Amino acid sequence: MDPGVIAVIGTTGVGKSNLSIQLAKELDGEVINGDALQVYKGLDIITNKMPMDEREGVVHHLMDFLPMDQEYSVLDFKADALGLIEKIHERKHMPVVVGGTHYYIQSLLWRDTLLDTKKNVGTLSEVQQQEESDANEKFLRDSDTATLYRKLQEVDPIMANKWHENDRRKITRSLQVFFETGECQSDLIKKQHALPDSERLRMPTCIFWIYSAPDVLNARLDARVDTMVKGGLFEEIQGMRKSVGPNTDYERGIWQAIGYKEFDPYFTAVEEAIKNDQPTDTEELEKLKAECTETMKTRTRQYAKRQVLWIRNKLLPLCREKEVKIYLLDATSLDTWKENVGNVAVKIAKSFFAGEDLPNAESLNQYAKEMLAAQRDLDAVSALESWEKKECDICTSMQRIMHEKYAQPPGSTTSEEQQLPPPVIIHGPTSWEQHLRSKMHRKMRTNKAEMERDGANWWYFKAQEYKKRKREGTLNQEIEIVGGVMDGSDDGDSVGQPDSKIRRTDVGNDGDKKEEKP
């Protein structure tokens, strides 16, 4: 078999680094870091680096080398990692790529997952190129989201149709591609997928996905946050805060690390107390610290969930299309980690590169068959061209009915267009199915059917039911709120008083609900 690579993927906190070291020792390998944050110097706690004394002498590349004021892109990673893999192969060693930044690893293994953003600048001088680049950056930085969306509709209507009109990050990225290449992102995607199947995978690859049952993993992640706090997390964050500059972008580079933003309220309050010569050990500050700790735990659990979704929605379809070997290893129990993870991975890896028969991946453990089933087919071009937004007529009409009855100020002279909430727009087929199953949609559908059946009496029946359940203490506010109406009244003909926070609920293309005030 041609020289290949082993990739170790999975959520944060499942033992990827441990497995990479075991594989490297057994297969005479060297580890290549595939985590976007572990490239930065220091900051070992907030980035969860494997301590030096636990690496057992295994060589690690692309780790702990970048100053925190610099950025490291997926393009940088791909170029560096490919160069390292070539050198490791020359030494007759095995590259073991490990990390939770899965789009880094995906871009390394497959040729068609990154856009070529090199622009044919023609006869433009360097000065003209820089002026054009500066103007584009200023436009992207200073324009409001609506302006950016209109520009995207103009230059790339296919991508504009795919993105939510308020998703500034994705809109900006599509415009960046256009400005940098002179071509629509949608056209570049079509060109990417015109690559022959035989040329898409760069090298023979065996992927190990370390997986833990969510309930067990969540408890493990919560405990790890507590350990990080006790082990010096605050000192690292304080050091980072001293390095903040006037142009620091908290959505890029090391500043994205979970923990930095989450503890910002606490450290801001502490710094303010010190500035005003006040104590920093008050009960209020301790409460704020505890709240920030819980926020960090929540964000860590959410990140782990997103990592699983990326593997299932992005990586698995690629593996299935190219018949890439991917094995899910059950790391739910730490007591059996060696038997269920380490030993199994080493045996499979040796067999893979020896060209021997391999076990059926779906029968390896109790989670494999379910989790290795790809969530969606990978036909990016047809999916892009057929992408559509749908308006939910039921939710739109019910929210507007409730708005007209409760949120319209008496004697208002504003136009009807200004008064009505915007429509409920759903992006993409997956999100549409999720919306139809959502609690909000099912409640709106029930209310609409009852309203059509009961006519004007519906308002009276609903008010009486609301009051009765409120008296009995059986009111489930989360379910009973209709169109944002929060509280009962005593006039007998309404469900409640106006609420200025009536919201439209949109679902983005990634399935996450986004709530916005009209």
Side-chain angles (χ1 to χ4, degrees):
M1 180 179 288
D2 295 334
V5 65
I6 296 172
V8 180
I9 64 174
T11 66
T12 183
V14 289
K16 297 187 298 294
S17 297
N18 290 330
L19 180 59
S20 69
I21 289 172
Q22 185 172 351
L23 287 167
K25 290 179 65 178
E26 292 283 349
L27 301 170
D28 199 13
E30 300 177 30
V31 173
I32 298 176
N33 167 51
D35 186 289
L37 299 182
Q38 291 186 3
V39 299
Y40 289 96
K41 289 182 180 178
L43 307 173
D44 295 354
I45 296 172
I46 200 169
T47 61
N48 289 295
K49 288 178 191 159
M50 171 72 80
M52 286 294 297
D53 59 357
E54 296 180 17
R55 297 180 193 177
E56 302 186 35
V58 173
V59 177
H60 282 64
H61 301 279
L62 300 185
M63 181 178 283
D64 206 38
F65 70 93
L66 195 71
M68 72 171 66
D69 60 346
Q70 295 185 23
E71 290 186 23
Y72 191 73
S73 72
V74 62
L75 292 171
D76 296 326
F77 169 78
K78 184 187 76 169
D80 290 345
L82 286 174
L84 283 167
I85 288 172
E86 184 176 353
K87 293 177 181 178
I88 293 171
H89 283 156
E90 289 174 356
R91 293 192 286 268
K92 306 299 182 182
H93 288 182
M94 178 62 65
V96 181
V97 184
V98 57
T101 308
H102 296 129
Y103 70 94
Y104 271 30
I105 295 177
Q106 185 171 311
S107 73
L108 174 65
L109 302 180
W110 282 271
R111 285 189 173 89
D112 60 353
T113 56
L114 287 179
L115 296 177
D116 182 0
T117 56
K118 295 180 180 178
K119 184 176 182 179
N120 183 358
V121 296
T123 59
L124 291 179
S125 67
E126 288 189 16
V127 173
Q128 289 173 318
Q129 293 176 42
Q130 189 60 50
E131 289 176 349
E132 182 181 277
S133 176
D134 290 345
N136 290 336
E137 286 184 11
K138 186 177 188 303
F139 173 75
L140 295 174
R141 182 179 64 249
D142 297 344
S143 300
D144 59 36
T145 305
T147 300
L148 295 179
Y149 189 70
R150 286 194 295 271
K151 180 66 176 178
L152 184 59
Q153 287 177 310
E154 175 188 329
V155 302
D156 193 348
I158 292 179
M159 296 308 297
N161 183 59
K162 182 174 176 62
W163 302 142
H164 188 281
E165 61 188 17
N166 293 326
D167 195 334
R168 184 181 183 92
R169 182 179 64 84
K170 291 179 180 177
I171 294 169
T172 299
R173 176 55 185 154
S174 293
L175 287 173
Q176 283 175 331
V177 170
F178 175 75
F179 290 148
E180 292 173 5
T181 66
E183 295 186 69
C184 300
Q185 185 179 14
S186 54
D187 289 341
L188 290 172
I189 291 173
K190 294 175 186 178
K191 289 181 181 179
Q192 277 184 319
H193 288 266
L195 192 69
D197 284 350
S198 60
E199 299 179 13
R200 296 181 70 186
L201 188 68
R202 283 197 169 91
M203 64 199 83
T205 303
C206 183
I207 303 176
F208 294 110
W209 172 12
I210 309 182
Y211 177 82
S212 174
D215 55 341
V216 175
L217 177 63
N218 289 340
R220 198 179 297 167
L221 295 176
D222 287 350
R224 189 175 72 172
V225 170
D226 291 331
T227 301
M228 292 168 69
V229 170
K230 295 175 183 177
L233 175 64
F234 287 179
E235 287 74 11
E236 285 192 357
I237 293 177
Q238 287 172 326
M240 292 174 69
R241 291 174 71 86
K242 294 176 182 177
S243 302
V244 173
N247 298 319
T248 298
D249 185 346
Y250 297 102
E251 299 303 319
R252 304 174 73 91
I254 187 60
W255 310 105
Q256 302 173 86
I258 296 176
Y260 183 80
K261 294 188 297 294
E262 287 70 21
F263 277 101
D264 182 69
Y266 170 71
F267 283 105
T268 299
V270 169
E271 290 165 3
E272 188 67 22
I274 294 173
K275 180 180 177 181
N276 296 325
D277 199 23
Q278 295 177 346
T280 59
D281 57 353
T282 64
E283 183 177 338
E284 183 178 352
L285 283 175
E286 287 300 312
K287 181 180 178 182
L288 183 56
K289 182 200 294 185
E291 291 173 354
C292 292
T293 302
E294 289 304 313
T295 300
M296 182 178 176
K297 291 178 179 179
T298 299
R299 299 273 166 79
T300 303
R301 295 193 300 268
Q302 291 170 341
Y303 176 56
K305 184 177 180 180
R306 291 196 302 272
Q307 288 176 301
V308 170
L309 289 174
W310 179 279
I311 294 172
R312 299 195 71 189
N313 293 338
K314 303 286 188 179
L315 196 60
L316 283 183
L318 277 172
C319 293
R320 182 174 61 181
E321 185 180 76
K322 292 302 303 168
E323 297 185 354
V324 173
K325 295 298 181 182
I326 179 169
Y327 289 92
L328 182 144
L329 306 174
D330 181 9
T332 302
S333 172
L334 296 180
D335 294 335
T336 58
W337 195 93
K338 184 177 180 180
E339 295 84 354
N340 292 344
V341 179
N343 293 347
V344 174
V346 169
K347 183 178 180 180
I348 291 174
K350 288 181 176 179
S351 298
F352 178 81
F353 290 106
E356 300 172 353
D357 291 338
L358 297 169
N360 184 315
E362 293 188 356
S363 61
L364 209 56
N365 54 65
Q366 61 176 321
Y367 299 109
K369 185 173 183 179
E370 175 190 357
M371 299 306 297
L372 289 176
Q375 293 287 80
R376 57 182 71 166
D377 293 326
L378 188 75
D379 187 350
V381 175
S382 61
L384 186 65
E385 293 177 338
S386 63
W387 188 272
E388 62 177 346
K389 302 176 183 179
K390 290 186 179 181
E391 177 181 345
C392 181
D393 295 331
I394 292 175
C395 293
T396 296
S397 62
M398 286 303 297
Q399 287 196 12
R400 288 180 173 177
I401 288 171
M402 304 307 296
H403 179 90
E404 290 172 351
K405 185 167 184 68
Y406 294 114
Q408 188 170 325
S412 173
T413 57
T414 55
S415 67
E416 180 179 355
E417 182 178 351
Q418 290 174 312
Q419 291 175 357
L420 293 178
V424 176
I425 303 296
I426 313 301
H427 292 246
T430 301
S431 295
W432 177 252
E433 292 299 322
Q434 290 174 340
H435 174 75
L436 295 181
R437 296 192 300 267
S438 69
K439 184 182 296 182
M440 183 198 79
H441 175 79
R442 289 185 283 113
K443 188 62 181 178
M444 292 293 188
R445 184 182 60 198
T446 299
N447 287 337
K448 189 173 189 295
E450 292 175 349
M451 188 178 291
E452 290 174 349
R453 181 194 65 200
D454 299 334
N457 291 329
W458 182 82
W459 301 99
Y460 175 78
F461 294 152
K462 206 67 179 176
Q464 298 307 308
E465 176 188 349
Y466 183 94
K467 291 178 180 178
K468 179 176 181 292
R469 297 188 66 179
K470 191 173 183 181
R471 286 194 304 268
E472 294 173 347
T474 59
L475 184 65
N476 183 342
Q477 237 187 20
E478 181 183 4
I479 298 177
E480 295 301 321
I481 294 169
V482 181
V485 180
M486 299 290 291
D487 196 9
S489 67
D490 295 324
D491 56 11
D493 64 357
S494 67
V495 181
Q497 300 296 329
D499 176 20
S500 62
K501 295 183 179 179
I502 293 178
R503 293 187 176 101
R504 172 188 72 177
T505 301
D506 285 330
V507 181
N509 67 291
D510 57 359
D512 294 332
K513 292 186 178 180
K514 303 175 182 179
E515 293 187 341
E516 299 143 5
K517 293 183 181 179

